[in-house]
Amino acid sequence: MAAIPDAPAAPDDAPAPPATSGPPAAPAPPAGPASLTARSRGLALAVIAAGMLMTVLDGSVVTVAMPAIQQDLGFSPAGLSWVVNAYLIAFGSLLLLAGRLGDLIGRKRMFVAGTVLFTAASVLAGAADSPALLITARLLQGAGSAMAAAVSLGILITLFARPAERSRAIAVFSFTGAAGASIGQVLGGVLTDALDWHWIFFVNLPIGLAVLAGAVLVLPGDRGPGLAAGADVIGALLVTAGLMLGIHTVVRAGGQGWASVSTLGPLALSLALLAGFVLRQATARNPLMPLRILRSRSVRGANVVQILMVAALFAFQVLVALHLQKVLGYGAARTGLAMLPAAVVIGAVSLGLSARLNARFGERRVLSAGLLLLVAMLGLLTRLPVHAHYLTDLLPVMLLAAGFGLALPALTTLGMSDADAEDAGLASGLFNTTQQIGMALGVAVLSTLAASRTEGLLAAGRGRAEALTGGYHLAFLVGAGLLATALVVALVSLRDPARRRPPVTGPGRERQDASRR
C-alpha cells in the first residue's frame, strides 16, 4: 500500500523563547505518532486495515459455510445460529470496555493482545470437533476482535492529524469494512467447496501472524495514564452485562417473539443495567466512559445514523444472498461472485473519490448523497421479480452499493471529529459498538418481518419462491425507510467538522469550542 504523503507543515507563528542561563534543558519527549514519517504512517495504516479486514472477513465467511458446519458437527437448527450469535454477542458487548482500556493502558498494547487472542481462537475454531468447542472458540474470537477493533480508529486519528490525510486514511479503513463482507462471502464459498469448512478459520493463522508482526514493528508505542485513571470496575460490569444481555435478547427475539415475556423481561433488565451505567459514569471519580464524549452533537448524531444505516444494510448483505440461493438456486461460491461488483464499486468510491469529495463538499453532503443512493438501492430491491435476471435486475443494485463507499468514510469522520487524543479509543469503541447494535437490530427485526410475511403468503397458497420473495420485499421496504430516517437525522443533527486552524486563545477559543458542540 502506498504511503500517504505528508501535507505541508503548518506555520509556526509563536516567537522563539529567550535564551536563559542555567542547567541544560531536559531532553525533548519522544515524537508523537503524528510526527512519524509518511512511510511509517502508511505502513501503520496497512497493518490496521489488514487487521480490520481479517475480523470482517471472519464475520461474513462463516455465513456461507453454515450448512457444511451443521452437517459435520451435528448442530440443531436452533443451535447453529450460535455459531454467529456467540461471536456477535462477545464482540458487541466488549467494544466500549476495550476502547476505554486501550486509552488507559495503551492502544497498541490492546491491538496486539486482541490480535493474539483472535488468531489463537481461530485455530481452536478450525480444530473444533464438537458444537460446544466451536461456540467457545467463536466467543473468544469475538472478544479478540473487540479488543483490536475498538482501538483501531483511535490509532488512526492520532496518526493522521491533518484533515486531508485523515480523510484518506479513514477511506482506506472504511473500504476494508465495507468491501470485506462481500470478499468474505466469495472466500468462504471457495474454501468450503474446494477444501472444507475448517479452512475458513485456519486461513486466519497466517494473516493473523502477519498482522501481529506488523503491529509490533510498525505501530507507534503509546502509554496511557494507567488503570488508576479510569478503572471503574462497577461501571465495566454494568455496561458489559447490559450490552451482552441486550444483544443476546435482540438476536433471539425473532424466534421467541418480540412481545413474549422471554424477550421483554431481559430487554428491560438490559436497559436498566445500561441506565445504571450512565448514572455511575455521572458520579464516579474515575469513570470508565467520561460523559463528555456525548456532549458533541456530531458524536451523538453520527452514532444514531450508524445504527439506522447498518440495520438497513443487513437487508442488502444477507437477504440478497438468501434470495440468490433460496429463490434463484445459486451455490455458495456463485453467490459470493454475484455480489462481488458491490465490493468493487464500494472500494473504487471509498478509496478513489470519498476523500476528495469530503474535502470539496464536506462530509455532511457526501454522507447525504451516499444515503440517497442506498435508499434507491433498497427501493429497486422492493421490485425484484421472482425469476430475476442478474444483468437487468441485480447488477444495477450492486452498482448502487457505491453509496456505502460514500457514506461510511464521511460518517466515520463525523463520528470521530470531536474526539480528543485521550478519548480516541473510547470514541472508536463507541462507534464500533453502535455498529454492532445496528447489525443485531437488523438481523432480528428485518429477518423476523421477512419470515412472518413469507409464512403469511405460504398460508395464502402462494408458491415457495413467490412467498420468499414477498418476505424479502417487505424487509427491503423497511430497510429503505430506516435509511430515509438516517438521512433526516444526518441533515438535522450533523455538521461538518471544523478544518484545522491556528491555535486560538482567550474569548475566541471559548467561541470556537462552543461552535463544535
Side-chain angles (χ1 to χ4, degrees), residues 449-464:
L449 289 173
S452 176
R453 175 65 173 162
T454 298
E455 290 174 2
L457 291 173
L458 287 172
R462 303 288 181 86
R464 178 173 175 78

Side-chain angles (χ1 to χ4, degrees), residues 95-121:
L95 279 165
L96 194 61
L97 175 61
R100 184 56 177 163
L101 290 178
D103 287 334
L104 297 175
I105 68 174
R107 288 182 279 273
K108 176 180 179 178
R109 186 178 301 176
M110 181 62 69
F111 183 87
V112 169
T115 302
V116 169
L117 178 58
F118 176 84
T119 305

Side-chain angles (χ1 to χ4, degrees), residues 1-71:
M1 180 177 295
I4 294 178
D6 279 326
D12 188 0
D13 298 329
T20 58
S21 59
S35 65
L36 296 174
T37 65
R39 181 176 183 274
S40 296
R41 293 200 303 276
L43 290 173
L45 173 59
V47 170
I48 295 295
M52 177 67 175
L53 182 63
M54 179 173 65
T55 58
V56 171
L57 285 175
D58 189 77
S60 61
V61 78
V62 173
T63 58
V64 296
M66 297 280 275
I69 292 174
Q70 182 178 19
Q71 182 177 0

Side-chain angles (χ1 to χ4, degrees), residues 156-167:
L156 285 189
I157 69 167
T158 56
L159 277 172
F160 300 95
R162 298 183 179 94
E165 289 185 334
R166 181 177 293 182
S167 293

